[in-house]
């Protein structure tokens, strides 16, 4: 199965959102180590690991797709492709969307 390029971007964005949105509030609140010592925290960390494994899988699928493409197909797909910009946008949007969770945590009275 071949994945479109936007799937890789979505995977990175959603992965960063999940990781940052889940880990930053406990780090900010000084409760990060509690995650490792409770069952619910361990399940949460496992979920983050699965999410990161999914990001790696999608990245590998994208690399595999590019290796299978002909030179003409690569040239056609490169016209608008900018890896640096795409990765920066994916990371930025993932982190910023996770800031909502951080804002809710930091805003508690």
């Amino acid at each position: 199965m071949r994945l479109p390029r936007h799937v890789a971007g979505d995977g990175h964005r959603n992965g960063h959102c999940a990781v940052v949105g889940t880990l930053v509030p406990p780090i900010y609140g000084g409760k990060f180590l509690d995650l490792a010592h409770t069952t619910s925290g361990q399940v949460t960390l496992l979920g983050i690991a699965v999410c990161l494994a999914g990001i790696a899988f999608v990245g590998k699928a994208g690399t595999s797709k590019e290796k299978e493409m002909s030179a003409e197909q690569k040239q056609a797909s490169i016209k608008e492709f900018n890896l640096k910009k795409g990765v920066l946008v994916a990371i930025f949007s993932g982190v910023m969307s996770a800031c909502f969770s951080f804002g809710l945590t930091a805003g508690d009275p």
Side-chain angles (χ1 to χ4, degrees):
M1 179 167 101
R2 294 184 179 190
L3 300 172
R5 286 188 188 268
H6 74 276
V7 172
D10 288 346
H12 280 279
R13 184 187 66 241
N14 293 337
H16 284 94
C17 180
V19 170
V20 173
T22 303
L23 293 181
V24 169
I27 291 170
Y28 175 77
K31 299 178 181 180
F32 179 73
L33 293 178
D34 292 346
L35 286 176
H37 298 297
T38 63
T39 302
S40 63
Q42 292 169 356
V43 171
T44 299
L45 293 174
L46 177 64
I48 291 171
V50 169
C51 184
L52 292 175
I55 291 172
F57 178 76
V58 169
K60 185 159 176 66
T63 302
S64 173
K65 173 190 170 194
E66 288 181 4
K67 287 180 182 177
E68 295 174 4
M69 293 173 71
S70 68
E72 295 86 24
Q73 289 173 322
K74 287 181 183 179
Q75 287 298 322
S77 68
I78 290 176
K79 290 179 185 175
E80 296 181 15
F81 180 71
N82 185 333
L83 179 64
K84 288 181 184 178
K85 187 187 294 184
V87 169
L88 286 174
V89 168
I91 291 171
F92 179 76
S93 62
V95 170
M96 293 309 292
S97 63
C99 285
F100 181 74
S101 173
F102 176 70
L104 290 175
T105 301
D108 280 344

